[in-house]
Amino acid sequence: MDTGGASDGVSCSFVPCHATALPTLRGIAHFRWIHTMTSHAFFPAARPTRREAALLLGAALLLALAVWGPVLPASAHQHGFADQRVLWGLPCALDVLSNLPFAIAGGCGLWMLGRQERGVADGVTRATAALFFAGLLLTSAGSTVYHWHPDDAGLLWDRLGMAAAFAGLLGLVV
């Protein structure tokens, strides 16, 4: 059974998994790919080039340095940049309130993504966009926690949301 082709111009062939296709809850039959991503068209059976091997070795060395290397102490004045003013009873008010645009952008993005018709974007694009917008919400929440009371423990939550947002953005770009 041929699906007629994917959006990138590559035709995809499917065959039923069983003699009779099994219906799902949506009435769509289960099928499996003839050509999977592990076929030779996607991953040729070749050894890594010197450049790829050097890159892998460098990444392994950096990982080993991060795990077993020396601990770098945080600066004594690391949290001194935070706004110290109180506004409406809110400590470090302008730093805390500066996270509101991230929350608005993340919430609006997730809302618009949820309203988008199916088929406008493929599943991977939707998932990475959702990760990006959820990362913006997490950035807003984590940065609010950190800036409310700047300390080393709160810095983790500040950076964790950014990591999720950057992962989603990288997935969208690549």
Side-chain angles (χ1 to χ4, degrees):
M1 175 181 205
D2 188 25
T3 62
S7 61
D8 60 356
V10 177
S11 69
C12 301
S13 298
F14 294 96
V15 293
C17 288
H18 305 290
T20 58
L22 301 173
T24 63
L25 293 176
R26 294 184 181 181
I28 301 171
H30 290 282
F31 295 102
R32 64 179 168 87
W33 293 85
I34 288 178
H35 301 289
T36 63
M37 288 193 61
T38 57
S39 71
H40 296 292
F42 290 100
F43 299 110
R47 294 180 52 183
T49 64
R50 285 184 183 261
R51 187 175 284 178
E52 291 169 338
L55 183 63
L56 287 172
L57 179 64
L61 289 173
L62 287 175
L63 179 64
L65 180 66
V67 172
W68 293 293
V71 176
L72 301 174
S75 170
H77 306 289
Q78 178 174 338
H79 310 293
F81 65 88
D83 181 33
Q84 301 299 319
R85 295 174 286 183
V86 176
L87 180 65
W88 303 309
L90 189 63
C92 306
L94 295 181
D95 286 340
V96 171
L97 293 174
S98 69
N99 295 300
L100 193 56
F102 290 109
I104 292 170
C108 286
L110 285 174
W111 178 72
M112 290 175 69
L113 193 62
R115 290 180 42 119
Q116 189 179 49
E117 293 180 19
R118 300 286 181 209
V120 173
D122 64 340
V124 173
T125 302
R126 291 178 61 84
T128 53
L131 178 61
F132 173 69
F133 292 127
L136 288 180
L137 287 174
L138 291 172
T139 297
S140 176
S143 189
T144 298
V145 167
Y146 169 68
H147 287 290
W148 192 291
H149 180 69
D151 61 358
D152 289 338
L155 193 57
L156 167 74
W157 299 109
D158 186 29
R159 306 250 171 100
L160 200 57
M162 289 183 229
F166 290 143
L169 184 61
L170 183 65
L172 285 171
V173 172
V174 174

